[in-house]
Amino acid sequence: MSGWFALIEAMGIDDMRKSTDSLMLPEIGFSRLYGRRGLLDERRVRLSGKSNEGTARIASAIIERGWAALSGERVRTLIGEAGQDEWAVFQDSWSVLGPDRYMADGGRYRRRRHAALVLDGGQIRTLPPRPHYQSRDYNPLNGGIERWFAQVKPEVLGGAVFRQLLALCVDIFAVRDVACEIEAHQFRIEAGEVEGRPTPEGMHRDGVDWVGVFLVGRCNVVAGTTRIAIDGVPAITEFTLKDPLDAVFIDDRRVRHGVTPINRLVPGVEAHRDVLVLTFRYA
């Protein structure tokens, strides 16, 4: 695994309750170290025992450089192994995403679903369907309009895998006791005779506070390299999410990020890259 992936010690995370209308977060305990607005600065970090050491190290990396990457193996260690059937339901849901009809570049290579949630008082509630909106300041290609997408299916939102990944982000970003608006995005980027572009807007910010990106799968594609640009640092860091649940966690206020286009490896065979993106914006 690439050296850019942090080596994180194991930490158990309890399941959230299974209701898709109201999801109770587990009592994780580390976020109390960071105050009301999430991560603050490195001087405030104190490891509070072995059970929290894993996510504390990730949080420290984000404080230090604005982002942290984990291998899928480490993510599974942190959240616990999902059952084969639970993972199959989660992964297979990427096969039924709706087309993205808002691509200003005329592309037909992106499919997606979307859900809006709110975190308040340690409880997460799903919200009624609403559009996804970004200003052109953050998305000069597709921003400036309300974009309506097919909704993430209830069985995905209520499933163990999604709930565990959501709980992991809440813990890493230390927002359990902070009111946040959360958006969940399922993306499939397809490659064929033309390349697929995961981030056609280029290097960008999403206009939120925190971003978690999890690879769900890659099929018959090359490239799709994640690029990280930190404010005040001229060099761009590059690495590739290759294995299921490889992940990157980003302070969107300090970091621009993007992904290079993907190309089909074997002609005539389906080719795609699937990711789950979870964004958090302070309410």
Side-chain angles (χ1 to χ4, degrees), residues 45-60:
V45 178
R46 296 292 185 271
L47 302 184
S48 58
K50 185 176 180 179
S51 64
N52 291 324
E53 186 175 352
T55 48
R57 290 183 179 180
I58 306 168
S60 294

Side-chain angles (χ1 to χ4, degrees), residues 12 22 59 71 124 129 135 153 187-188 192 195 211 216 224 240 253 278:
S22 181
S71 69
I124 288 181
S135 74
K153 288 183 171 294
F187 288 104
R188 168 167 286 186
E195 65 185 16
V211 181
V216 176
T240 302
R253 299 160 298 184
L278 299 174

Side-chain angles (χ1 to χ4, degrees), residues 11-32:
M11 184 192 105
I13 294 179
D14 297 332
D15 284 343
M16 290 185 281
R17 295 178 184 173
K18 292 187 176 181
S19 167
T20 60
D21 292 324
S22 181
L23 303 176
M24 289 299 296
L25 292 175
E27 185 66 41
I28 297 172
F30 188 71
S31 59
R32 65 184 173 82

Side-chain angles (χ1 to χ4, degrees), residues 32 39 47 112-113 118 122 159 238 266:
R32 65 184 173 82
L39 298 178
L47 302 184
R112 64 192 295 177
R113 285 182 181 266
V118 63
E238 295 186 341
V266 179

Side-chain angles (χ1 to χ4, degrees), residues 133-134 138 201 204-208 211 252 257 277 279 281:
Y133 180 84
Q134 291 174 295
Y138 296 108
E201 66 273 36
H204 67 284
R205 290 183 172 88
D206 288 333
V208 296
V211 181
D252 194 58
H257 45 96
V277 177
T279 67
R281 185 203 313 268

